[in-house]
Amino acid sequence: MPTPDAVCILVPTYNEAETIADVVSDYRDEGFANVLVIDGNSTDGTRELAEDAGAHVVVQSGTGKGQAVREAIEDHVTAEYVLMLDGDGTYEATDAAKMLDPLTEGYDHVIGDRFADMRPGAMTRLNRVGNRIINRAFAFIHGQDFRDILSGYRAFTRESFLDMTLTSDGFGIETEMAVECAKRGIKTTVVPTTYYPRPDGSDTNLDPIRDGGIIFLELYRRAKTNNPLFYFGSVGFASTATGVGLALYVAYEWVVRSVSHEVIAVVSMAGILFGVQLLMFGVLSDLILSLHREQMKRIEELE
């Protein structure tokens, strides 16, 4: 494990007064003196409680977890290693060592797998199913199985974080980080962690439907530069299939009922042509991406 003075414990918060003091104290008890709480203008005394517990507190200039994390690491973190976690008391401070150990073994990014030891009541059935679907979709689209891409428990080198291109301001930050790890070949591993229910009186800031939709859109949008064949091919396939379906309907109506549907036929042909063009574009984009990756690998080998 890196020495504690080389690690910054980063805790983005918003209205976590019920838990933040215990969270800060737990990590300080584990020997981590550098605890940075970046707060999204809480109104329940979160900042004061964090400071009293020994944390350095910064108020973020914008809004959202993603913006808070980027601002904290770019402007306030100077340590070589970062251990990021939520301030809701759901993660175990004693897991810090096994989260950080891989960083001294050549890994640049570590994801804590909440499903390895999820305590009863820690996640609703809806959220559990949604997480499973999102993880399967990520593995299919981006070709890496990180088991729990939505985990807020992350350990990484500051340098690897700064190499990422991150734009999400909200809870999509974890998804973006996972995609960037897969896209850039950042050496990533997953370790089992314990995940607890939120304590009574601590309310979640997540909306399963809204934030789930944002995460799915982020997965698809990021496929544009990491898996263009899927990005363009999925739309192309849908357009082609729709066009073929309409064409079969027009043919059936013409043969069986002698009824012509000229407008539908034109729409059918347009859908097929558009879909085939997208499929071809996806194949070409995938080829260009493969060549680009090969060239970048050769450049890295020469360096």
Side-chain angles (χ1 to χ4, degrees):
M1 187 183 80
T3 57
D5 58 353
V7 178
C8 174
I9 306 296
L10 175 61
V11 190
T13 59
Y14 180 71
N15 287 341
E16 301 287 4
E18 292 293 329
T19 55
I20 189 60
D22 289 336
V23 170
V24 173
S25 297
D26 287 346
Y27 283 89
R28 288 181 60 84
D29 290 344
E30 291 295 315
F32 300 99
N34 184 7
V35 180
L36 172 62
V37 171
I38 183 157
D39 183 70
N41 288 284
S42 294
T43 58
D44 63 349
T46 294
R47 295 190 296 278
E48 294 77 11
L49 289 166
E51 286 180 340
D52 291 344
H56 174 56
V57 179
V58 175
V59 179
Q60 71 181 100
S61 60
T63 58
K65 182 178 180 180
Q67 191 277 335
V69 172
R70 294 198 310 273
E71 179 180 344
I73 295 175
E74 292 170 2
D75 299 339
H76 303 290
V77 173
T78 57
E80 183 179 0
Y81 303 103
V82 178
L83 180 62
M84 185 180 82
L85 56 130
D86 297 327
D88 55 7
T90 53
Y91 297 109
E92 178 63 74
T94 56
D95 285 338
K98 64 179 177 181
M99 286 289 294
L100 291 164
D101 279 341
L103 298 181
T104 59
E105 299 168 359
Y107 289 98
D108 294 308
H109 197 95
V110 182
I111 299 173
D113 180 8
R114 298 170 297 172
F115 294 96
D117 183 19
M118 184 174 291
R119 300 303 170 88
M123 190 178 290
T124 65
R125 185 184 297 270
L126 175 63
N127 284 346
R128 190 186 290 262
V129 171
N131 270 261
R132 294 295 191 189
I133 293 172
I134 288 171
N135 281 293
R136 294 287 178 83
F138 176 86
F140 177 75
I141 295 171
H142 297 283
Q144 295 280 352
D145 185 5
F146 292 150
R147 298 207 290 273
D148 189 10
I149 67 165
L150 302 184
S151 174
Y153 211 6
R154 305 286 181 113
F156 47 86
T157 62
R158 182 175 183 269
E159 182 180 359
S160 69
F161 181 90
L162 296 176
D163 285 340
M164 297 179 180
T165 301
L166 304 172
T167 59
S168 174
D169 286 338
F171 285 97
I173 184 68
E174 288 92 355
T175 304
E176 274 195 328
M177 292 171 74
V179 172
E180 285 292 295
C181 286
K183 174 183 174 182
R184 298 180 182 276
I186 294 172
K187 197 170 182 183
T188 304
T189 189
V190 181
V191 300
T193 57
T194 303
Y195 189 61
Y196 293 100
R198 294 178 68 99
D200 293 337
S202 175
D203 296 324
T204 180
N205 297 316
L206 285 170
D207 183 298
I209 305 301
R210 180 198 64 204
D211 292 309
I214 290 172
I215 289 165
F216 270 114
L217 287 174
E218 187 62 31
L219 281 177
Y220 183 75
R221 185 178 70 86
R222 287 273 172 163
K224 178 170 54 179
T225 55
N226 193 43
N227 189 353
L229 183 58
F230 172 82
Y231 181 81
F232 295 106
S234 58
V235 179
F237 177 80
S239 179
T240 302
T242 301
V244 170
L246 290 174
L248 292 173
Y249 170 75
V250 170
Y252 174 83
E253 289 284 284
W254 174 258
V255 172
V256 176
R257 300 175 55 192
S258 298
V259 177
S260 62
H261 295 282
E262 289 85 356
V263 174
I264 297 178
V266 171
V267 172
S268 169
M269 286 304 300
I272 293 172
L273 288 173
F274 179 69
V276 170
Q277 287 178 335
L278 278 180
L279 287 168
M280 293 174 62
F281 189 74
V283 170
L284 290 173
S285 298
D286 189 66
L287 175 62
I288 292 170
L289 178 61
S290 297
L291 292 172
H292 171 73
R293 286 173 172 167
E294 287 181 12
Q295 290 299 320
M296 292 302 297
K297 185 177 180 179
R298 290 176 183 175
I299 292 172
E300 291 173 358
E301 289 173 353
L302 290 174
E303 292 177 348

